[in-house]
Amino acid sequence: MSKTAPLVALTLLSLLMPLSQVNAAVVYRSDEGWTVEGDDTAVAGSAAEQMKKAEKLEASGNDSGAYKSYKALVKRFGQSFLAPKAQRKVGMLLEKHHDYDKAFDAYNSYLTKYPQGEDFDAVVDSMFKIAKLFLEGQKRKVFGVPVGPSMQRAQAMFESIVKNAPFSKLAPLSQFNVGQALEKQNDYPKAIEAYQAVYTKYPNDPVAADALYQVGYVRAKDAREGSYDPATNRKAREAFEDFTARYPNSEKVAQANENIRNLEGGTNKNILDIAKFYDKTRKFKSAVIYYNDVIKAQPGSPEAEYAKGRIEALKNEYGEDALRAGPERTETGNRALERRKLQAKVDTVSRPDYVGPPVAELKQKVETAPAKPKLRTSPDNLGPVPAVEPPLPGGETKPAGTLPLTPAPPESEPPKLNQ
């Protein structure tokens, strides 16, 4: 064995030493290899004596020794009435040293081991606070080195709170934040399921209204950015209509009604553009069909009045029989697909710089994908947040605001672990 090997191994071991092993001696034995030992590793004869020892070490500033002593108490005297307090102390020391991942796990062990513990609610508060850090961009750490933020970790944390503390005051908001984490991962179907679970499990909680509103918001976002499916658009309108019916006194009703009008107007405009395209290409029967769709979708609107005028003009010029379309059409999947393709053509032809298809396109038609519309990014964006979140440890509250379309980056780099 090389003479430098023990020194290298010792150095690596000291670099990777977690909080539980700081200020301890590193000893090499031929039959055991490298081990970490210290005077504070000995366990007292009773839980009370071990607790006094751990508290004395913590009071003296020896967080490492205190951490090990609290863990030893839980391991050796797990059935003692002092074990829950010691388990919470383990989490508190890890949180103090910014090891949020392990701190959350330590608190979660408290919930599973000591569901009747007197500090149960305080532990849930601490877990919620840590989970919010990850939801807002806190980075995970690997061997003490910060890596990218993890929405998956935030999602798992909030799910743990809901699972292990389903009747706590923070369970409804934790379920809502599961949806937030999934939405930030662009997993819209699962995000909708998470929001629906809020008003299914906790219908009387104030956050239930925000969850139902958010269902409409996510569906609208999906319809505009991804699927272009008229059914998604319709479901978004239905969600907002359901919201206004269930919560007529909510401060978000006005915004929900505006969202409904925008969703209806967007659909109506697309139909009108298709009608104009058929009109321009002299396919008048098809044009009249779509003009009638505009009139049915939004009677009395400027678009509907324009459609009526064009229908009358075409009838006067070509006669009503020439424009008759036959049996009434039904909406099908193929019809919806055809409409989206046709809308792409309309978008292309209506551009001011359009000069006609290239030569290659004359030989073989190539469909143009519709440009993805952007959601509004003004301060009155339609995404909500709960009116007032329950107070976090320390009495802090987060005022009502507007949910951004994209997750805001953390204001500052999280502090480095002191391990």
Side-chain angles (χ1 to χ4, degrees):
M1 182 176 181
S2 171
K3 294 181 180 180
T4 60
L7 180 60
V8 172
L10 176 61
T11 303
L12 289 174
L13 187 60
S14 63
L15 288 174
L16 298 178
M17 219 184 292
L19 174 63
S20 60
Q21 297 172 342
V22 176
N23 298 328
V26 181
V27 180
Y28 180 81
R29 293 186 176 88
S30 59
D31 57 337
E32 297 180 4
W34 292 103
T35 59
V36 180
E37 297 181 354
D39 294 336
D40 50 14
T41 58
V43 181
S46 69
E49 292 176 353
Q50 184 69 14
M51 178 62 76
K52 288 181 181 179
K53 175 184 177 180
E55 290 176 337
K56 183 177 180 179
L57 289 167
E58 184 178 5
S60 68
N62 186 353
D63 288 350
S64 173
Y67 171 85
K68 288 185 291 184
S69 295
Y70 286 128
K71 286 196 70 175
L73 190 157
V74 174
K75 183 177 181 180
R76 178 75 177 272
F77 309 103
Q79 302 303 315
S80 167
F81 73 97
L82 293 173
K85 181 179 179 180
Q87 181 64 42
R88 184 189 177 198
K89 281 287 189 178
V90 170
M92 292 174 69
L93 285 170
L94 287 166
E95 186 177 2
K96 176 183 176 180
H97 287 260
H98 312 297
D99 194 342
Y100 299 117
D101 253 324
K102 291 183 179 179
F104 185 93
D105 291 339
Y107 289 136
N108 198 42
S109 292
Y110 182 106
L111 299 190
T112 57
K113 292 179 179 178
Y114 312 108
Q116 304 300 322
E118 62 180 12
D119 295 320
F120 188 92
D121 290 337
V123 169
V124 173
D125 288 344
S126 298
M127 294 172 68
F128 185 87
K129 179 181 177 182
I130 293 174
K132 282 285 288 183
L133 289 176
F134 280 87
L135 184 64
E136 293 168 358
Q138 173 67 43
K139 295 181 178 180
R140 299 196 70 181
K141 293 189 175 183
V142 177
F143 296 115
V145 179
V147 295
S150 173
M151 286 302 108
Q152 292 91 345
R153 180 56 170 157
Q155 174 191 340
M157 287 178 169
F158 286 118
E159 288 174 341
S160 293
I161 295 174
V162 174
K163 178 182 178 182
N164 296 321
F167 304 109
S168 66
K169 64 180 181 180
L170 290 175
L173 191 53
S174 294
Q175 180 62 49
F176 181 89
N177 285 336
V178 171
Q180 293 276 275
L182 286 163
E183 186 180 334
K184 289 183 179 183
Q185 297 174 61
N186 296 322
D187 192 341
Y188 296 151
K190 289 186 179 179
I192 290 171
E193 290 179 4
Y195 291 132
Q196 289 173 334
V198 177
Y199 55 82
T200 299
K201 295 179 179 179
Y202 313 102
N204 298 322
D205 192 273
V207 78
D210 295 295
L212 181 54
Y213 184 101
Q214 202 70 1
V215 169
Y217 169 64
V218 173
R219 290 196 187 281
K221 188 176 180 182
D222 187 22
R224 295 177 183 180
E225 292 184 347
S227 68
Y228 301 102
D229 186 354
T232 303
N233 189 297
R234 173 179 53 78
K235 289 179 180 179
R237 296 199 309 273
E238 290 175 351
F240 285 126
E241 290 167 354
D242 191 13
F243 168 79
T244 58
R246 291 194 190 191
Y247 308 101
N249 298 322
S250 172
E251 61 182 8
K252 299 181 180 71
V253 167
Q255 181 66 67
N257 287 328
E258 181 181 345
N259 296 339
I260 292 170
R261 289 192 294 271
N262 291 336
L263 288 164
E264 289 176 344
T267 302
N268 205 39
K269 182 180 182 300
N270 288 342
I271 298 173
L272 182 60
D273 287 343
I274 294 173
K276 288 180 178 179
F277 179 82
Y278 276 131
D279 199 346
K280 184 178 180 180
T281 55
R282 303 185 65 80
K283 297 179 180 179
F284 300 123
K285 287 185 179 181
S286 297
V288 169
I289 290 173
Y290 282 95
Y291 281 135
N292 278 318
D293 282 350
V294 173
I295 296 170
K296 292 177 183 178
Q298 201 170 1
S301 66
E303 291 84 358
E305 293 303 317
Y306 175 87
K308 287 181 180 179
R310 281 304 299 156
I311 290 175
E312 289 302 318
L314 290 171
K315 285 182 179 179
N316 291 336
E317 185 172 354
Y318 299 103
E320 188 170 350
D321 290 340
L323 301 174
R324 198 178 304 279
E328 185 176 355
R329 299 163 301 114
T330 58
E331 187 78 7
T332 64
N334 290 335
R335 165 84 186 282
L337 178 60
E338 178 185 356
R339 176 176 293 182
R340 291 197 297 273
K341 290 181 178 180
L342 189 55
Q343 181 60 45
K345 292 183 180 180
V346 174
D347 292 341
T348 302
V349 174
S350 61
R351 289 179 51 179
D353 59 346
Y354 179 73
V355 294
V359 175
E361 188 175 356
L362 293 176
K363 295 181 180 180
Q364 182 178 1
K365 294 182 180 180
V366 178
E367 300 295 350
T368 305
K372 292 186 177 181
K374 297 181 179 179
L375 292 177
R376 294 177 296 168
T377 57
S378 61
D380 61 343
N381 188 281
L382 54 111
V385 293
V388 177
E389 292 188 357
L392 298 178
E396 299 178 354
T397 61
K398 184 174 181 179
T402 300
L403 182 67
L405 290 178
T406 55
E411 295 183 359
S412 60
E413 185 73 15
K416 295 183 178 179
L417 294 184
N418 183 18
Q419 297 185 12

